[in-house]
């Protein structure tokens, strides 16, 4: 996939570079050569999003905290 995108043979859209969105199942991800590294990165992202969601719920209703300029 990287070589295909890097080959610069894919058509651009309105002058913008090509963007590829690839869906990979967890089973396929784990079977890949660097699967454990990719799986760890994915899990870290999921944990971060989950922690952010929990932190947002704990703050409760009301205005956001004041920020310094």
């Amino acid at each position: 996939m990287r070589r295909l995108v890097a080959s610069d043979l894919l058509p651009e859209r309105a002058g913008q570079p090509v963007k590829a969105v690839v869906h990979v199942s967890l089973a396929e991800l784990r079977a890949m050569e660097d699967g454990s590294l990719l799986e760890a990165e994915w899990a870290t992202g999921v944990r971060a999003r989950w922690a952010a969601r929990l932190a947002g719920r704990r703050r409760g209703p009301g205005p956001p905290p004041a920020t310094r300029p």
Side-chain angles (χ1 to χ4, degrees):
M1 179 61 81
R2 287 182 189 152
R3 283 190 263 161
L4 178 61
V5 173
S7 70
D8 204 26
L9 297 174
L10 297 172
E12 295 179 351
R13 186 174 191 132
Q16 297 298 313
V18 175
K19 180 179 181 179
V21 178
V22 180
H23 297 272
V24 179
S25 72
L26 187 56
E28 291 173 320
L29 181 65
R30 295 184 91 185
M32 293 174 75
E33 186 176 312
D34 292 333
S36 60
L37 175 63
L38 296 171
E39 184 179 353
E41 289 178 18
W42 171 79
T44 300
V46 169
R47 285 187 200 104
R49 287 190 300 275
W50 185 255
R53 176 179 265 181
L54 288 177
R57 288 183 184 172
R58 288 184 186 137
R59 193 177 67 93
T67 57
R68 293 183 182 176

